[in-house]
Every structure is written in C-alpha cells, then in structure tokens.
Amino acid sequence: MRSFRTEIESPIVEKDIIELERKIRQFNGGELDEEKFRSLRLARGVYGQRQQGVQMVRIKLPYGKVTSNQLLRICDVSDEYSRGRLHITTRQDIQIHYVDLDRTPELWAQLERDDVTLREACGNTVRNVTASETAGIDVDEPFDVSPYAHAVFQYFLRNPIGQEMGRKFKVSFSSSDADTGLSYMHDLGFIAKIKNGERGFKVMLAGGLGSQPRHADELYSFLPTDKIVPLMEGVIRVFDRYGERKSRAKARMKFLLKDIGLEGFKVLLEEEQLAIPIQTYPIDFESYPKPVVANVEVPSVQLEENEEFQQWKSTNLVLQKQKGYVAIGIKVLLGDFYTDKARELAKLVQEYAAGEIRLSLRQNILIPYVKEELVPFFYSELKKLGFVEAGYNKALDITACPGTDTCNLGIASSTGIAEELERVIKAEYPQYISNPDVVIKISGCMNACGQHNMANIGFQGMSVRTKDKLVAPALQVLLGGGNFGNGKARFADKVVKIPSKRGPQALRLILDDFNANGNRASFADYYWEKGEQYFYEFLKPLSNIENLTQEDFIDWGTEEKYKKEIGIGECAGVIVDLVATLFFESQEKIEKAEEALAEEKWAASIYYSYQSIVNSAKALLTSEKVKVNTHSAIIKDFDKLYVETGKIDLAISFEDITLQLNKNKPTQEFAQSYVEDAKQVLETLEAYRKLELAHA
C-alpha cells in the first residue's frame, strides 16, 4: 500500500493520499467515528455503495476531457482494483464500482501518475466542473470555454473555502447560446459571450434539480473572463456562511436564494469583496494546449455505403468549426462500457485523431478532430468494438442513473426500464432514432442524478403501496421539460404515478399522441399547448393499482420480488456533531492555518482560522443542543448564549472576532493575528467545557 509514496511527484497530492491511508487505518482500528470518516472519504471520491463492504470510486474529469494515456490508466486501475467496467456519469465523471476501501489510496496514487484525481469528486465540495462536450470545436461558439473551465477547476481544487460546505456546489460552462452545458440547473452557470470584442460570460446563479427544481437567476448578462474566479470565490464564501448545514433537504444554494432573494444575495456578496485575495484573475487562454492531430495516411477500408452506415453518419457525426474535421459521437448505453473496448478506443484516437475523447452530459463519448476522409475507417474500427449504434444525442439515447443497481438512495430500477424503453423505440418507433427533439431521462429517486425533471419525457423511481400493504416499484411520469438556450428552460410537470412495469405503455401512449397531434411542433411546445390535465387524462388508467399482477411486483432487470430498501445517502457527506470531535477538528484547522502561513498562503490560512473559530463555537452550542444550521446562526447564537450572558469573556463580541474574516484584506499581518485569535478562542472554549463537565 505504501509504495505510492515514491511514485507521486506532487508533495501536496502525496500528503493527501497518505492522509486517506492513515484515516482508513484509524477507522478500521475504531479510532475514528464512522460518520466523520465518511465526510473525509467522500471528499476524496470514495462513496459507499448499496452492496456492503465495497465502495464506488468517482474519478474527477474536468469538462469531460480525457486523454488516451489517462483513459489507459483508468482502465489499468479498473482492471486491478475493480471489475473492468467503467460508468460515465451525467457530470462527465467516470465511476468504478466494487472497490475495497483499503485499496483506495493505492488506486488514487496510480491515477495521479497520469494527472487524474479523485479529490472532491463527492462530498460537500466544488464538484466536477462540467462543460459542453463540443467546447473548442462548436461551430456556434464565440470562443473555446475549455481554458476557463480548467482554470476554475485548478483554482478551487483543495481550496479551503470549498472543502466543508453545507452541500455540494456545481458549476458548468456552455460553449454557446444553445446552452448545452445546462447553465440554468447549476449553482453557477457560465454561457460564453463576446461584448465589444471582449470575452466574457452570462452568469446564471442558484439553479438545481432534485425534488424541488429551481431555474437559475441571471446574475450578470456579461462578466469579463478575468472576473469569473473572483466572483465564484465570493459566491462560495456566502454559501459557506449562510447556507443550511443541518437539513440536507434545504442545504443547496437554490434554497438560500429562495430565502434571501437575488438582491439580498448581492448584498452579502458585496460584503465579501475585501476578503477575496484576488480582484481580477486573467486566464491565459492562448497557452492552453492545442490539439495535435495525428498525421497518418488514410488506411484502405472496404466499406459498403449501406443504409446502416448512412444512418450512423446522419445521427453520430458532429460538424466542427475546424475545416476538414468532424467529431464522432458514440452512444454508450446507460453510460456503461468495459476496459477491453476502452483500451482499443484510446489507441484508435491516439493513432488517428487528437489523442483525446470528451465525455458528455448524456453519458456518451465524443471523439473530436477526426479527418473527414477517415470517417469510413473509424466506422469500421468502431463497429468492431460495438460502438456504432445510431442515435447519438437523439430520442433513442436515454439517460439514466445507476438507480438500485449500486446506489444507496435508489428506490426503483432506472437502468432496467431505460433498456426496455430503448428496445421499444427501436422496434416500434424507428423514426425517433434520428429525432433530436424528444429527450428522455430516468432517475432512480428524487435526487435527479438522471436529470429526469429537465427532460421532455422523464421518469422518477418511486414505490406504490396497495390496500393490502404490498409494495411495488413505480415511476413518476414527468412531461414538458426543455432547454430553450441562453439560460432559459422549463422543468417538467409531475403528471402521474404508475407501476414501473407500465412504463413502456406510458411511453407508447405519449409518443402515439405526439405523432397524431403534435403538428410538427417541438415536444415541449406540444406539451405546453395541450396542458398537464390533457396528458393526465389519457395516462390515468395506468395508475390504477387495484389490478396489479405478480409481474408488477418484480422490478425491471431483476427476477426477485421488489423490496423498498433505501440506504443512507452520502451526497452531502453527513457529519456527526460530537463535541470532542468538533474541538479536535478546530485544532486540526489551526494546524492547517499555520502550515498555510509557512507557505505564505495568507488567504488559505485566514479561512482555516475562520473554520476553527466557528467550529469551536459549534462545539459548545452542540453540547447545549442548540441548532447549528448555518455559520451565521452559530455566530449570532454564540454571542447571545455565552458572551452577552457573561458566561464567557472574549473582551469583544464573538461576531467581531469571527467576521474579521471579511473586514480585512488577506495580508500576512492579518493572517498571523487571526490564527492567534483562533487559538485563543479554542483555548477559552475548551477550558469552559472542561469546567462545565467537572461540575456536571
């Protein structure tokens, strides 16, 4: 396990992996609380699986770009530590399942040899920065957003302000007004713009999916590119202090905006400006690596110009703005493929394209920079791998999360029903294979990892209970969602809940009605013209649960009788508020603050000191069973219960001590004084706690 220490070039990465290894030993030895350990491993991409004793490991791949060498490295890791299956997520990550917890440090170390990380792929962190998979080749883009997405990824990786928020934070970049990065459903969404010859972005704030989807607000119609990193730092600082922490259901950015409004958020954002270490952050897009396309002779290939090839070309080729090149889309069923095929794909793009692939938000693969004359050759090679199914990004291309296959939160199968619906479309509605308008998405629960509530036709895993208290798998049918571009969209309506086995019947009724009455409108327009009640009426008969058969109690993809089993969700990295643990964490934060001081990282040191101060107050409030839902509430309640009552003498108010954070510039002098304040607060509060226990 420890051989990785001599193989990793970066001391920071090596320290990170060693810490994970140490914490695993402490956890296995009973020295570390399970819930606290969960928080740490989630921030290192290690996620508990539905099956006991194994982990899902999420590999963070910024904006879905993967080089051939990185893909080969991921294959090596999957073969060595897992089962050789790779799963593409709707956030352009790759997940591998059934990994032994004790081997995760080795696995991570192997990935880092090709600059691939697990860091902050899960947990209460800044998650993977996503972007349009066509970034850099999009015929409609004003400029390539890849350098900007990469800069954001690098700046916030391991940044202390985004390590322990109330919930996760998601960012996207869209290449053009088509908004294929889906800005409207992100905590921060950036849409590329040019104004008076200057590069910038339209900025969308506080969108989200889940059980209560929220359309993002427009924060800026145009923000110059050198301002996006300072802006994001301010947004995260506000979210970290004022965002909900106790209730997972209310802990996303969208709920904070709902509570205080956009103007209220702007006021808080302005209050943070002095503390932000950089007011401008120019991004040198010209130094971003240019693609190097293989210069090879066109291999001779005998290929009949048959109907299958023509259909594939019509649905799976993407035009590039670079003359003479196209991108090839690979439809990956449910995002799952295996390392034997991945290895051959990596070699193919290395030898005949630009040595990279892009993972898409619809769980597919895009190969950019394919010379037009090489298309028949690529088709023949991809066909050997089973990668030439027509319908890339079309109606046949159904998105689905893992659901009850591996996820703790899965209520009903999403992958099983997705496979069946694709079979129905192929057999009964072949015209939809090339239809880009009808988007179908499926999630196994309300958390919307399959993005069901932004689809034209969406299904959400649920359950139904009969009068005899029998439980069967079910689907919520959602209709009418759509992306209209430039940050504008609609979320789907919840129309009706039906037993899962009737999902194909529902799809048939919907598509048959659309074919008969759609009048060539888009599906979203057709739905909103007809209205929710119209669809409810003809789908309502499918909701009857008084006539269920034995088959209805068996979910898709299984032969066993359905049981509703929901584990503990880990997306938020739950933290148990044990008083002693909190004081210990405060000391750890002070040590990190001092390390940052030694490295002359003043802003990082200041934020660690802030976290220590708030954490120490949280410890005492927890001992009194006071709600500790937000940092701002902790600060005010501590003053009210301890300082103003005279129980603890801090000379000044606790709020004045703590919020020096945003009243001072991040200088060396302030960083040094603030860490001393953090030490004094911890010492005072621990002494009070010891005295309190002595008299208990």
Side-chain angles (χ1 to χ4, degrees):
M1 182 181 281
R2 294 173 182 80
S3 61
F4 63 75
R5 301 188 186 189
T6 59
E7 297 173 358
I8 301 172
E9 294 182 6
S10 168
I12 296 173
V13 174
E14 181 179 16
K15 182 180 177 182
D16 229 0
I17 297 174
I18 291 171
E19 181 184 16
L20 176 61
E21 181 193 29
R22 179 170 60 86
K23 295 291 187 181
I24 289 173
R25 287 202 309 272
Q26 291 177 347
F27 172 69
N28 289 338
E31 303 169 42
L32 184 64
D33 178 84
E34 180 177 358
E35 298 299 322
K36 180 57 188 170
F37 176 61
R38 178 184 296 162
S39 175
L40 180 132
R41 66 172 165 77
L42 283 169
R44 278 111 184 122
V46 183
Y47 191 101
Q49 205 169 295
R50 194 178 188 91
Q51 294 76 11
Q52 293 298 310
V54 290
Q55 312 292 317
M56 177 271 283
V57 170
R58 184 177 292 150
I59 299 169
K60 194 172 188 178
L61 300 165
Y63 49 100
K65 180 180 177 180
V66 188
T67 67
S68 294
N69 288 340
Q70 288 174 329
L71 184 55
L72 290 171
R73 177 66 63 189
I74 292 169
C75 290
D76 288 345
V77 160
S78 183
D79 287 342
E80 172 67 22
Y81 300 95
S82 181
R83 301 181 177 183
R85 188 187 78 165
L86 309 176
H87 176 72
I88 304 169
T89 76
T90 54
R91 294 203 59 75
Q92 299 174 301
D93 298 303
I94 284 180
Q95 293 176 175
I96 58 177
H97 295 84
Y98 300 97
V99 177
D100 185 334
L101 174 64
D102 291 345
R103 302 191 72 192
T104 53
E106 303 171 38
L107 180 155
W108 186 2
Q110 291 298 319
L111 288 173
E112 288 284 357
R113 293 170 67 179
D114 278 289
D115 199 24
V116 178
T117 191
L118 307 182
R119 182 73 199 222
E120 295 144 47
C122 307
N124 300 329
T125 62
V126 177
R127 295 292 187 85
N128 195 29
V129 178
T130 61
S132 306
E133 68 265 26
T134 52
I137 65 171
D138 192 332
V139 294
D140 295 319
E141 69 181 17
F143 56 86
D144 182 6
V145 300
S146 303
Y148 306 95
H150 195 78
V152 165
F153 157 70
Q154 286 186 314
Y155 184 87
F156 289 98
L157 187 70
R158 295 184 176 85
N159 192 315
I161 69 167
Q163 298 301 306
E164 297 178 6
M165 297 178 287
R167 281 295 305 272
K168 54 196 171 186
F169 190 94
K170 296 181 177 180
V171 189
S172 78
F173 285 80
S174 287
S175 291
S176 69
D177 284 359
D179 197 15
T180 50
L182 310 176
S183 68
Y184 63 90
M185 49 160 274
H186 281 79
D187 295 300
L188 267 180
F190 296 98
I191 306 173
K193 300 281 185 180
I194 288 184
K195 183 177 180 180
N196 299 326
E198 182 182 16
R199 293 183 173 199
F201 293 94
K202 180 176 183 176
V203 183
M204 305 296 292
L205 176 72
L209 296 180
S211 60
Q212 300 180 55
R214 182 183 191 274
H215 194 293
D217 292 321
E218 180 182 313
L219 185 59
Y220 293 101
S221 62
F222 183 85
L223 185 72
T225 58
D226 64 332
K227 297 294 185 182
I228 62 172
V229 168
L231 167 71
M232 184 165 159
E233 170 146 357
V235 168
I236 291 174
R237 283 170 174 265
V238 171
F239 178 51
D240 190 40
R241 187 165 313 123
Y242 295 94
E244 171 70 32
R245 289 177 174 271
K246 200 72 174 175
S247 170
R248 287 186 68 246
K250 298 180 179 179
R252 293 296 301 275
M253 174 73 79
K254 61 184 179 181
F255 293 105
L256 177 59
L257 260 289
K258 183 180 178 182
D259 288 343
I260 67 175
L262 183 60
E263 294 307 313
F265 188 89
K266 287 179 179 179
V267 170
L268 297 179
L269 192 60
E270 184 61 33
E271 290 176 358
E272 295 301 311
Q273 295 309 301
L274 187 63
I276 295 173
I278 38 97
Q279 297 303 310
T280 181
Y281 192 85
I283 295 167
D284 184 8
F285 65 90
E286 291 182 344
S287 66
Y288 184 78
K290 302 293 189 295
V292 179
V293 183
N295 186 18
V296 293
E297 292 185 13
V298 179
S300 176
V301 56
Q302 296 296 320
L303 188 65
E304 294 183 12
E305 291 284 327
N306 56 27
E307 185 178 339
E308 183 184 87
F309 177 52
Q310 292 302 323
Q311 185 177 60
W312 175 81
K313 285 202 300 183
S314 71
T315 63
N316 291 50
L317 295 189
V318 177
L319 293 177
Q320 286 195 198
K321 66 181 183 181
Q322 293 82 6
K323 188 176 180 181
Y325 292 94
V326 294
I328 294 178
I330 297 174
K331 182 180 174 298
V332 184
L333 179 62
L334 305 177
D336 291 332
F337 66 121
Y338 288 84
T339 54
D340 56 346
K341 294 182 178 182
R343 289 180 190 281
E344 294 302 315
L345 179 64
K347 295 172 186 175
L348 180 65
V349 299
Q350 183 68 49
E351 294 176 17
Y352 294 98
E356 70 173 69
I357 62 171
R358 288 286 180 97
L359 308 179
S360 84
L361 297 170
R362 289 179 69 164
Q363 300 175 291
N364 291 320
I365 294 171
L366 187 69
I367 307 172
Y369 293 98
V370 175
K371 293 178 180 177
E372 289 178 344
E373 59 267 30
L374 282 173
V375 168
F377 169 73
F378 264 84
Y379 178 81
S380 65
E381 294 301 304
L382 292 173
K383 188 171 185 179
K384 296 173 186 176
L385 302 177
F387 277 163
V388 292
E389 184 172 348
Y392 175 80
N393 281 357
K394 304 299 187 292
L396 181 64
D397 194 357
I398 296 175
T399 301
C401 68
T404 49
D405 288 359
T406 55
C407 179
N408 272 326
L409 292 174
I411 297 174
S413 171
S414 46
T415 58
I417 181 64
E419 289 188 64
E420 179 62 18
L421 295 184
E422 287 208 1
R423 188 197 65 75
V424 168
I425 292 174
K426 282 181 191 175
E428 303 174 30
Y429 302 89
Q431 70 270 31
Y432 281 90
I433 292 174
S434 56
N435 184 322
D437 179 56
V438 178
V439 177
I440 303 173
K441 294 177 180 285
I442 306 171
S443 298
C445 75
M446 65 180 182
N447 284 311
C449 294
Q451 302 174 340
H452 63 276
N453 42 20
M454 54 161 284
N456 300 144
I457 303 173
F459 297 93
Q460 176 195 327
M462 306 187 85
S463 64
V464 291
R465 186 182 295 270
T466 69
K467 292 179 180 178
D468 300 326
K469 297 185 178 179
L470 299 174
V471 180
L475 295 169
Q476 177 82 57
V477 181
L478 299 94
L479 297 172
N483 175 13
F484 308 123
N486 200 25
K488 298 186 183 302
R490 280 199 195 107
F491 292 115
D493 284 336
K494 297 175 181 177
V495 176
V496 68
K497 183 164 77 169
I498 62 175
S500 289
K501 284 299 176 73
R502 298 175 187 170
Q505 293 171 256
L507 182 65
R508 290 185 182 102
L509 288 172
I510 293 164
L511 293 183
D512 287 346
D513 193 82
F514 181 44
N515 290 339
N517 303 309
N519 297 322
R520 297 186 180 181
S522 71
F523 186 90
D525 287 343
Y526 148 76
Y527 173 80
W528 288 99
E529 177 188 331
K530 296 290 186 182
E532 180 182 344
Q533 190 64 30
Y534 173 84
F535 291 87
Y536 173 74
E537 290 299 333
F538 73 74
L539 292 173
K540 183 180 178 181
L542 298 182
S543 67
N544 182 10
I545 60 172
E546 295 181 2
N547 57 353
L548 297 183
T549 67
Q550 288 300 312
E551 186 70 15
D552 289 314
F553 291 94
I554 300 173
D555 206 354
W556 293 102
T558 182
E559 297 177 357
E560 299 176 2
K561 188 174 180 180
Y562 174 78
K563 287 195 299 183
K564 183 179 178 180
E565 297 177 328
I566 306 173
I568 298 172
E570 297 198 330
C571 290
V574 183
I575 299 173
V576 170
D577 295 323
L578 301 173
V579 177
T581 301
L582 288 167
F583 277 134
F584 176 72
E585 288 174 9
S586 292
Q587 182 58 46
E588 283 188 330
K589 298 298 183 191
I590 288 172
E591 291 168 6
K592 289 185 180 241
E594 290 180 322
E595 286 177 13
L597 269 178
E599 295 168 0
E600 299 185 356
K601 296 178 179 177
W602 319 132
S605 175
I606 291 164
Y607 215 83
Y608 283 128
S609 295
Y610 162 76
Q611 290 174 333
S612 175
I613 293 169
V614 174
N615 221 54
S616 297
K618 182 178 179 180
L620 283 192
L621 290 172
T622 299
S623 72
E624 295 292 334
K625 296 183 172 54
V626 176
K627 287 184 179 180
V628 286
N629 293 42
T630 68
H631 278 187
S632 60
I634 290 169
I635 294 166
K636 291 184 182 303
D637 286 344
F638 190 85
D639 263 333
K640 182 179 178 181
L641 293 176
Y642 288 98
V643 180
E644 292 172 10
T645 58
K647 290 181 180 178
I648 293 178
D649 182 10
L650 295 174
I652 61 173
S653 76
F654 184 71
E655 182 174 9
D656 286 343
I657 293 172
T658 310
L659 293 188
Q660 292 178 87
L661 172 76
N662 64 5
K663 305 294 189 299
N664 291 271
K665 291 182 178 180
T667 62
Q668 178 181 1
E669 181 182 6
F670 174 57
Q672 289 172 333
S673 69
Y674 200 44
V675 75
E676 293 304 319
D677 288 338
K679 289 178 184 177
Q680 186 61 48
V681 167
L682 177 58
E683 182 182 329
T684 302
L685 272 56
E686 278 192 310
Y688 179 88
R689 175 64 174 168
K690 287 176 184 176
L691 190 64
E692 188 179 50
L693 291 174
H695 290 87

